[in-house]
């Protein structure tokens, strides 16, 4: 497994089914247990569901309580890459869900709990290639969307 970044509980609760994570388990605040790749199945209330491969290549469904996130388990992502800048780390990663596929870029800063979404380039289910950018950190200005022309086959 390559470089990873730990998610916070809010980010975990907003993961989409099918997204890949690295699941880490432990107890009493010490994450010393198993660390393995898993796929998000979704959240049902405060229960986070995931799927992973067990012994003899069997697919296993498991769950973890979001109230215990950070104390007994963590989720990390390993998709993408990071570029160090004076403002923080730029994190580019794949976005794949039922409506769009593309690349997102966020700024990860030490003084922020949550990465700042900067841009997303995606192929949407409608057959359009578009780029969305957010001009300010809190998205007060909304987003600017550019529909790319001449890329349809």
């Amino acid at each position: 497994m390559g470089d990873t970044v730990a998610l916070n509980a809010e980010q975990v609760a907003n993961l989409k089914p099918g997204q890949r994570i690295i699941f880490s388990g432990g107890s009493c605040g010490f994450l010393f247990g198993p660390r393995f790749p898993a796929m998000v199945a979704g959240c049902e209330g405060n229960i986070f569901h995931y799927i992973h491969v067990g012994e003899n290549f069997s697919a296993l469904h498991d769950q973890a309580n979001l109230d215990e996130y950070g104390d007994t388990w963590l989720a990390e992502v390993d998709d993408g890459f990071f570029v160090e800048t004076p403002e923080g780390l730029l994190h580019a990663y794949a976005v794949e869900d039922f409506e769009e596929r593309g690349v997102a870029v966020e700024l990860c800063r030490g003084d922020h709990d949550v990465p700042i979404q900067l841009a997303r380039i995606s192929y949407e289910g409608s057959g359009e290639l578009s780029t969305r950018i957010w001009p300010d950190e809190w998205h007060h200005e909304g987003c600017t969307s550019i529909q790319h022309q001449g890329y349809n086959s």
Side-chain angles (χ1 to χ4, degrees):
M1 290 180 247
D3 292 337
T4 62
V5 61
L7 303 174
N8 63 38
E10 181 182 340
Q11 290 169 316
V12 171
N14 289 317
L15 289 172
K16 304 288 186 233
Q19 286 185 277
R20 294 172 296 180
I21 61 169
I22 305 299
F23 187 93
S24 303
S27 63
C28 301
F30 298 100
L31 297 171
F32 56 81
R35 187 170 183 259
F36 51 85
M39 183 175 67
V40 174
C43 278
E44 188 175 52
N46 249 12
I47 304 300
F48 176 75
H49 296 270
Y50 61 97
I51 299 166
H52 62 100
V53 176
E55 292 182 28
N56 301 320
F57 309 106
S58 59
L60 301 175
H61 166 258
D62 215 335
Q63 61 189 37
N65 191 319
L66 284 172
D67 291 334
E68 298 172 358
Y69 187 77
D71 292 326
T72 62
W73 67 282
L74 278 178
E76 304 168 72
V77 291
D78 69 340
D79 281 341
F81 61 91
F82 295 89
V83 176
E84 193 168 336
T85 74
E87 293 297 320
L89 290 174
L90 288 175
H91 180 208
Y93 59 93
V95 175
E96 297 182 54
D97 62 31
F98 298 109
E99 296 178 12
E100 65 179 300
R101 293 169 39 164
V103 176
V105 179
E106 297 176 334
L107 177 63
C108 305
R109 295 176 55 159
D111 59 344
H112 285 67
D113 292 335
V114 178
I116 302 166
Q117 189 171 18
L118 300 175
R120 183 175 286 193
I121 303 167
S122 59
Y123 177 83
E124 298 170 0
S126 61
E128 296 178 335
L129 185 63
S130 67
T131 299
R132 293 186 303 246
I133 58 170
W134 288 269
D136 70 290
E137 174 180 350
W138 302 108
H139 300 181
H140 291 132
E141 301 295 320
C143 89
T144 300
S145 183
I146 301 166
Q147 300 301 317
H148 299 280
Q149 304 295 318
Y151 293 98
N152 299 29
S153 48

